Amino acid sequence: MKQGMTRQQMAQRVARDIPAGAYVNLGIGLPVTVLDHFKPEDEIVVHSENGILGMRALLEGEAPDPDMSNAAKLPVNIRAGGSFFHHADSFAMMRGGHLDFCILGGYEVSEHGDLANWSLGQKNVATAVGGAMDLAVGAKAVYVLMEHVTREGRPRIVSQCSLPLTGRRVVKRIYTDLAVIDVRPQGLVVIDMVEGMDEQTLEACTEADLRFELERAQS
């Protein structure tokens, strides 16, 4: 199979599609790396569910503040004009439709936009959905950033999710190391593929049916 993008290239690909001035939440895991690729001049306002609005990545050589971290407990800083607030207020922002975009990780996404991203369904393993459920239904647009297949080579983009759901019909777009796929009423539509990828190879590692309307070549 064609070699896919690195995790940083995936994050950069998502960042490129977020418009200037947008209010965005970045999920724990791979999505938090998108923060490194937002341009200051675009004034994208990043929300963190632990109570930060205006979060930014640390600058090169900038010492981390032990009292400043995102929801993933990673060091960050805050832009001029940013703010801190109570956890309850943060969730009110998430649930109230105040976020333009939420970028979440995923274990599975179905052809209808169902999202499973909080539990692998393993017995005797303590898990909690956290804020993902609130973000999935509260954000105006939910983008999922994940690798196209599991370590075992099983498709993550499926006809129907087999894992516990975070939300039904909530995903608008899927970004993987191989492609960018829109979730539309008529099904999944591939709008971009990694350089060198062909339709047959992508279909072979995707369980759900795909249509192709390529908008641009991968840079």
Side-chain angles (χ1 to χ4, degrees):
M1 187 173 70
K2 172 73 177 65
Q3 181 66 40
M5 289 183 282
T6 66
R7 293 168 74 87
Q8 284 298 326
Q9 288 171 331
M10 292 165 68
Q12 186 178 37
R13 179 63 184 82
V14 180
R16 171 171 125 191
D17 285 350
I18 303 300
Y23 285 75
V24 184
N25 180 283
L26 304 175
I28 293 173
L30 182 54
V32 299
T33 61
V34 177
L35 187 66
D36 297 330
H37 301 282
F38 288 145
K39 299 176 181 178
E41 61 269 25
D42 287 339
E43 297 188 346
I44 293 169
V45 182
V46 183
H47 169 276
S48 185
E49 64 192 71
N50 57 321
I52 306 174
L53 193 64
M55 182 173 68
R56 67 165 175 82
L58 293 180
L59 304 176
E60 185 175 356
E62 184 177 11
D65 182 338
D67 294 323
M68 183 88 68
S69 65
N70 61 16
K73 301 179 182 179
L74 298 173
V76 293
N77 213 317
I78 192 167
R79 296 175 45 196
S83 60
F84 305 100
F85 35 84
H86 192 278
H87 202 70
D89 295 320
S90 181
F91 271 70
M93 293 179 191
M94 292 156 53
R95 296 168 180 168
H98 303 289
L99 297 174
D100 297 311
F101 298 91
C102 176
I103 303 167
L104 293 172
Y107 294 137
E108 290 178 334
V109 177
S110 82
E111 61 187 2
H112 303 296
D114 301 333
L115 171 63
N117 82 335
W118 70 278
S119 172
L120 290 171
Q122 299 167 321
K123 294 182 178 179
N124 303 318
V125 176
T127 56
V129 71
M133 187 177 294
D134 305 88
L135 289 163
V137 299
K140 295 174 184 175
V142 176
Y143 289 174
V144 169
L145 177 59
M146 64 181 186
E147 291 170 335
H148 205 93
V149 300
T150 68
R151 293 178 182 176
E152 296 75 28
R154 293 193 299 271
R156 293 183 184 272
I157 302 174
V158 295
S159 300
Q160 183 174 336
C161 293
S162 62
L163 297 173
L165 291 184
T166 306
R168 293 186 184 275
R169 298 179 181 266
V170 294
V171 179
K172 183 175 181 180
R173 180 172 289 179
I174 308 164
Y175 292 82
T176 77
D177 51 327
L178 302 181
V180 181
I181 303 172
D182 275 350
V183 183
R184 300 181 186 173
Q186 66 269 36
L188 301 179
V189 179
V190 180
I191 62 169
D192 198 3
M193 293 191 298
V194 69
E195 185 178 355
M197 176 61 63
D198 59 75
E199 295 181 7
Q200 292 75 23
T201 302
L202 190 66
E203 289 174 326
C205 56
T206 308
E207 181 186 292
D209 292 335
L210 299 174
R211 294 172 52 215
F212 292 82
E213 295 180 10
L214 299 179
E215 297 179 353
R216 54 183 175 265
Q218 173 64 39
S219 60

